[in-house]
Amino acid sequence: MKKIKIIIFLFFITISHSINAQETKNNNFPSPIGVVNDFNGFFSDLQKEELTKIILDFESKTTNQIVVITIDKIEPFKKTKRYAVEIGNYWGVGVKEKNNGLTIVICNSCKEIGIATGTGTELILTDEICKEVIDKQIIPEFKKGNFFEGIKKGVLELINKWKE
């Protein structure tokens, strides 16, 4: 548990430094609160902890960074994927030199999921693979009302494909 707290602390320092160092066209993004940013209240505290552990364990083994965001509004953006790209860049998701970030945005009011990858990540996790994960792992669980299971299955599938 102490190791996870240290990793979370280092992640926040990295994110904070990246945010301060970057310029952006839209500074209306919320501030990150971790790797699981549940601004919409989809998950229980235990679910957030479980998802955080999965993501941080993967990051500690690979340096690949994943951030999950639930949000109600993406204005001024029209598409969730574009929002995911911009907020991922603004927050500095991924190691700069490797560009190995992955940002997953679930927009409740839009009823959309957007996955954005860094240029290093997209060599493995193509748009087609991300769409397949959304369609086959995430959406079926969402249709049953299992938001956490959908995101968890999606994250685990993306991690498995990233390892291949």
Side-chain angles (χ1 to χ4, degrees):
M1 191 64 178
K2 186 176 180 181
K3 183 178 177 182
I4 289 176
K5 287 180 182 178
I6 291 170
I7 291 171
I8 291 171
F9 175 73
L10 292 174
F11 176 79
F12 282 122
I13 290 173
T14 302
I15 291 290
S16 296
H17 177 71
S18 295
I19 289 172
N20 292 333
Q22 293 181 6
E23 289 183 32
T24 185
K25 297 174 190 166
N26 181 340
N27 60 5
N28 293 324
F29 292 123
S31 296
I33 53 176
V35 294
V36 178
N37 299 270
D38 187 20
F39 299 119
N40 219 320
F42 276 10
F43 311 127
S44 70
D45 288 342
L46 286 175
Q47 290 170 333
K48 285 186 268 192
E49 286 177 28
E50 182 179 348
L51 197 52
T52 296
K53 182 177 180 343
I54 290 167
I55 291 169
L56 291 178
D57 284 350
F58 178 65
E59 182 181 347
S60 72
K61 294 173 186 163
T62 64
T63 74
N64 297 335
Q65 293 180 357
I66 301 172
V67 172
V68 174
I69 304 166
T70 68
I71 199 145
D72 196 43
K73 296 178 184 170
I74 59 167
E75 287 141 5
F77 302 95
K78 293 184 182 353
K79 291 290 183 185
T80 305
K81 177 161 182 176
R82 187 81 218 138
Y83 183 89
V85 168
E86 295 299 327
I87 197 168
N89 287 336
Y90 182 68
W91 284 3
V93 179
V95 176
K96 187 176 182 178
E97 299 78 31
K98 295 181 178 184
N99 216 340
N100 61 344
L102 176 73
T103 305
I104 303 169
V105 174
I106 302 96
C107 178
N108 188 36
S109 64
C110 312
K111 301 201 182 307
E112 285 185 355
I113 301 165
I115 298 178
T117 56
T119 54
T121 305
E122 72 186 357
L123 299 173
I124 299 167
L125 298 178
T126 63
D127 286 346
E128 293 79 18
I129 288 173
C130 292
K131 182 176 179 349
E132 182 180 312
V133 169
I134 290 170
D135 292 344
K136 292 185 178 178
Q137 270 76 40
I138 299 174
I139 298 292
E141 292 297 331
F142 276 27
K143 285 182 177 179
K144 297 178 201 171
N146 300 328
F147 298 110
F148 173 71
E149 282 302 314
I151 293 302
K152 180 180 168 185
K153 284 182 177 181
V155 166
L156 289 171
E157 183 65 15
L158 289 164
I159 286 172
N160 284 334
K161 293 199 178 287
W162 215 342
K163 288 179 184 176
E164 292 177 0

